[in-house]
Amino acid sequence: APTSQPPPTETEAERAAGRITSPPPSAGHPPTARPNELPPLPNPPPLPPLLRKTPFPPPRQPRPRRGPAARPAPRPPRRARRRRISRFASSLPGFRGALKQRYSDFVVHEVARDGTLVRLTSFDLPDERADTDDEAEADLPRALESFRLLCGDADCEVLRGFLSSVSEGDSDVSPIILSPDADKAHRLEVHDFFKRNFIFLVTDTVEHSDGVQRCIRVRLRSGPRGRRNRTGIGSSEPSGWRDDRPFDSRGSVTWPYHLGKFLRFHLYKENKDTQEALRVIGKMLGLQPRSFRIAGTKDKRAITTQQVTLFKVHASRLAALNNKLTGIKVGDFNYVKEGLVLGQLMGNRFTITLRSVIAESEDMIKVAVDGLIKNGFINYYGLQRFGSASVPTHLVGATLLRGEWRSAVSLILDPREGECDDMNGVREHYKEHGDIDVAIRNFPRRLIAERAILQRLKKYPGNYLQALMAIPRTLRLMYVHSYQSYLWNHAASMRAGMYGLSGVIEGDLVYKKECPGEGTVTDASENNDDHTNASEMDIFAETLPEETIQSVKIADSEDLLKAVYTLEDVVLPLPGSETLFPGNEVAGIYHEIANKDGISLTESIHGVKEFSITSMKGGYRRVLQRPIDCEWDLMTYTDDKIHLVETDLDVLSKAKPSEVNELLSTGASHDDSLDTSGATILAETESIGSSDLLPELAVKLSFTLPTSSYATMAIRELTKTSTSVDCQKALNS
């Protein structure tokens, strides 16, 4: 039996709009609210007055556009229901507030794997000079002794003399050639020895003029410690050796021996997609987008800071771009040994400002925020996971799972409702005439999937599977993963509606206590070379290809009796070949929805593994997520154009005002609703009584979420309002 009543669904206004499937109350009877359900709102709902704190000035005649009566309650669009985002974690009332009214209202800082917050704190270049390594000097006798045991006394003395010449600053020291060695395995061992112990030396293999004997040649690597003698001319070695042969340059691109091969830097961007920002930087440097490595994508309509790595690129080249970049800055340069991979982060720290807040009292806001901290939110995949286009990505995923290749291509290429007329004209022309060359010329480069399909169809006319496989791997996998997320959202809504969210019930899937970690990191064994620009789908948060498998079990009556597990341990599966389904009725929703879509979760109807759920491991995701280290504050403002949150550039401008102002004067950021130059102007929260404008209320929240959790779903729980673009536009109007 259920342990509690279900949490509330959306409002009666939404039901009247056809957005909730439960039946309306019977005619002639007044509507009654079920336990734990939000009471029905009158139609149209009366709007509460603007909250007035004690220091606020007395009310003045409100501006028509800002008065509460000018803001009708927005209707959440159907797309939220199509993704089955329909339940809340608690029945506490929310309050009205506009999300992302300005991009500066949504600030995101990546949380690195070591738990540090990624911020832009400096534009200084790192010191690339080779430091005196006392430990290396101390280890030299040990290294030479190891080499003597490996190659013998004679070669050891030759190497000792060579190192002595190098230490004396002889940049023109000639290469040395070791004793003949016919054993290839032994030569490989010697090469590896030098790579481990003398990174400033380079080795290759040369042969005698008789074409039989081979030996290892050692030279000084290019860099601060000396100039490379590329030909070996002037060597004192016995004649007969072909030591005039150029050195094998494979893998020996000029790079200082003492620096890590990857440049790690912090990318600060405003109102730009991650891949868009990297594409701009790559174009200036003459690099392909795949040269960059990131741990995850960040929101477009936001101010974000994250880590990026580049292979063998000097910091000075990137730093020189800061005066030319608009809405993008790079800094905090450091050389490291390894590049980033997708999923290599702990999460994200969000600072979100809700503007134009309307609430009955300050206490209502406090109760709502405290409720979010205590109860958390249903860990839905946000609308961003499914794209912003009229053709959501999970519908494309469903056609791929059914093996309908031509239909999938049509969904991607055909005209779309809501897209700009020019773009839809290109789509209409291709659909009517099938002229691939014209379509390729007119599809913008940001539409990665469309262009890849068209170019492959040009080469293989009519081969739609080949065309789909031309889409970069990260993007084409996203379609199927989106369908998995769609099923998960359905299951989460059913779990909340049928059993409530007060505790664990028999049959729930839970993480085993000995394996508490949640699988929210990318499987790094996969090839992550194809970092794609998915900006056309508005992928705001991390779009991880697959959740990592963790050890789970089905909670039984004994577990419930001992109270071993809590609701925070409950997970739901993303279907795959290695995932379990719950041992209660929730399991049925997966198969029910999939069967309606003509999809089997247990067998594939085609042999293309990438487009088959049964060929994926699957994973698990927590049903409930609580914000971490949540802080909040109330603010007032009178100017909509003023930033309410301090950014990294603001902090830098205080520490180094002349340096930052010089950068901003040549590369100031801007968007369609903000026109500023120089450092950000922050709102004054005190002494506003002299203003002739009616102050408005804002709520600022700061919290951390693990990777793959959506901040928009936390805000949805707080305000009990849809976070869709359409709904927020209505609030902002």
Side-chain angles (χ1 to χ4, degrees), residues 497-508:
M498 181 172 288
Y499 301 112
L501 293 172
S502 61
V504 183
I505 62 167
E506 189 170 350
D508 271 340

PDB file of all heavy atoms in Angstrom, residues 497-508:
ATOM      1  N   GLY A 497       3.442  10.229  -8.131  1.00  0.00           N
ATOM      2  CA  GLY A 497       1.994  10.274  -8.109  1.00  0.00           C
ATOM      3  C   GLY A 497       1.364   9.081  -7.429  1.00  0.00           C
ATOM      4  O   GLY A 497       0.367   9.213  -6.715  1.00  0.00           O
ATOM      5  N   MET A 498       1.949   7.908  -7.596  1.00  0.00           N
ATOM      6  CA  MET A 498       1.356   6.683  -7.055  1.00  0.00           C
ATOM      7  C   MET A 498       1.736   6.448  -5.600  1.00  0.00           C
ATOM      8  O   MET A 498       0.917   6.014  -4.792  1.00  0.00           O
ATOM      9  CB  MET A 498       1.769   5.489  -7.906  1.00  0.00           C
ATOM     10  CG  MET A 498       1.189   4.154  -7.430  1.00  0.00           C
ATOM     11  SD  MET A 498       1.498   2.814  -8.595  1.00  0.00           S
ATOM     12  CE  MET A 498       0.380   3.265  -9.928  1.00  0.00           C
ATOM     13  N   TYR A 499       2.980   6.729  -5.242  1.00  0.00           N
ATOM     14  CA  TYR A 499       3.469   6.377  -3.913  1.00  0.00           C
ATOM     15  C   TYR A 499       3.884   7.582  -3.065  1.00  0.00           C
ATOM     16  O   TYR A 499       4.262   7.414  -1.913  1.00  0.00           O
ATOM     17  CB  TYR A 499       4.667   5.428  -4.034  1.00  0.00           C
ATOM     18  CG  TYR A 499       4.346   4.143  -4.762  1.00  0.00           C
ATOM     19  CD1 TYR A 499       4.892   3.882  -6.014  1.00  0.00           C
ATOM     20  CD2 TYR A 499       3.492   3.202  -4.203  1.00  0.00           C
ATOM     21  CE1 TYR A 499       4.607   2.706  -6.687  1.00  0.00           C
ATOM     22  CE2 TYR A 499       3.192   2.014  -4.864  1.00  0.00           C
ATOM     23  CZ  TYR A 499       3.755   1.780  -6.117  1.00  0.00           C
ATOM     24  OH  TYR A 499       3.463   0.615  -6.777  1.00  0.00           O
ATOM     25  N   GLY A 500       3.870   8.773  -3.641  1.00  0.00           N
ATOM     26  CA  GLY A 500       4.311   9.928  -2.889  1.00  0.00           C
ATOM     27  C   GLY A 500       5.821   9.975  -2.745  1.00  0.00           C
ATOM     28  O   GLY A 500       6.544   9.140  -3.297  1.00  0.00           O
ATOM     29  N   LEU A 501       6.295  10.944  -1.992  1.00  0.00           N
ATOM     30  CA  LEU A 501       7.739  11.118  -1.815  1.00  0.00           C
ATOM     31  C   LEU A 501       8.086  11.265  -0.339  1.00  0.00           C
ATOM     32  O   LEU A 501       8.917  12.092   0.045  1.00  0.00           O
ATOM     33  CB  LEU A 501       8.222  12.348  -2.597  1.00  0.00           C
ATOM     34  CG  LEU A 501       8.150  12.242  -4.120  1.00  0.00           C
ATOM     35  CD1 LEU A 501       8.477  13.576  -4.761  1.00  0.00           C
ATOM     36  CD2 LEU A 501       9.102  11.167  -4.636  1.00  0.00           C
ATOM     37  N   SER A 502       7.433  10.442   0.497  1.00  0.00           N
ATOM     38  CA  SER A 502       7.703  10.525   1.931  1.00  0.00           C
ATOM     39  C   SER A 502       8.723   9.507   2.398  1.00  0.00           C
ATOM     40  O   SER A 502       9.250   9.623   3.501  1.00  0.00           O
ATOM     41  CB  SER A 502       6.404  10.348   2.721  1.00  0.00           C
ATOM     42  OG  SER A 502       5.849   9.064   2.446  1.00  0.00           O
ATOM     43  N   GLY A 503       9.008   8.505   1.576  1.00  0.00           N
ATOM     44  CA  GLY A 503       9.972   7.502   2.010  1.00  0.00           C
ATOM     45  C   GLY A 503      10.089   6.375   1.009  1.00  0.00           C
ATOM     46  O   GLY A 503       9.478   6.381  -0.064  1.00  0.00           O
ATOM     47  N   VAL A 504      10.887   5.368   1.371  1.00  0.00           N
ATOM     48  CA  VAL A 504      11.110   4.202   0.518  1.00  0.00           C
ATOM     49  C   VAL A 504       9.911   3.278   0.614  1.00  0.00           C
ATOM     50  O   VAL A 504       9.329   3.097   1.690  1.00  0.00           O
ATOM     51  CB  VAL A 504      12.392   3.455   0.958  1.00  0.00           C
ATOM     52  CG1 VAL A 504      12.678   2.279   0.037  1.00  0.00           C
ATOM     53  CG2 VAL A 504      13.581   4.406   0.985  1.00  0.00           C
ATOM     54  N   ILE A 505       9.529   2.693  -0.496  1.00  0.00           N
ATOM     55  CA  ILE A 505       8.465   1.686  -0.501  1.00  0.00           C
ATOM     56  C   ILE A 505       9.031   0.373  -1.018  1.00  0.00           C
ATOM     57  O   ILE A 505      10.083   0.340  -1.662  1.00  0.00           O
ATOM     58  CB  ILE A 505       7.277   2.124  -1.382  1.00  0.00           C
ATOM     59  CG1 ILE A 505       7.729   2.285  -2.835  1.00  0.00           C
ATOM     60  CG2 ILE A 505       6.644   3.397  -0.852  1.00  0.00           C
ATOM     61  CD1 ILE A 505       6.575   2.394  -3.801  1.00  0.00           C
ATOM     62  N   GLU A 506       8.363  -0.692  -0.724  1.00  0.00           N
ATOM     63  CA  GLU A 506       8.822  -2.008  -1.156  1.00  0.00           C
ATOM     64  C   GLU A 506       8.848  -2.068  -2.688  1.00  0.00           C
ATOM     65  O   GLU A 506       7.899  -1.654  -3.356  1.00  0.00           O
ATOM     66  CB  GLU A 506       7.904  -3.099  -0.598  1.00  0.00           C
ATOM     67  CG  GLU A 506       8.427  -4.500  -0.831  1.00  0.00           C
ATOM     68  CD  GLU A 506       7.634  -5.551  -0.070  1.00  0.00           C
ATOM     69  OE1 GLU A 506       6.793  -5.156   0.781  1.00  0.00           O
ATOM     70  OE2 GLU A 506       7.852  -6.744  -0.305  1.00  0.00           O
ATOM     71  N   GLY A 507       9.947  -2.569  -3.216  1.00  0.00           N
ATOM     72  CA  GLY A 507      10.099  -2.663  -4.668  1.00  0.00           C
ATOM     73  C   GLY A 507      10.915  -1.533  -5.263  1.00  0.00           C
ATOM     74  O   GLY A 507      11.290  -1.589  -6.440  1.00  0.00           O
ATOM     75  N   ASP A 508      11.192  -0.495  -4.464  1.00  0.00           N
ATOM     76  CA  ASP A 508      12.036   0.597  -4.960  1.00  0.00           C
ATOM     77  C   ASP A 508      13.448   0.096  -5.252  1.00  0.00           C
ATOM     78  O   ASP A 508      13.973  -0.791  -4.562  1.00  0.00           O
ATOM     79  CB  ASP A 508      12.126   1.721  -3.919  1.00  0.00           C
ATOM     80  CG  ASP A 508      11.036   2.756  -4.072  1.00  0.00           C
ATOM     81  OD1 ASP A 508      10.443   2.841  -5.163  1.00  0.00           O
ATOM     82  OD2 ASP A 508      10.767   3.491  -3.094  1.00  0.00           O
TER      83      ASP A 508
END
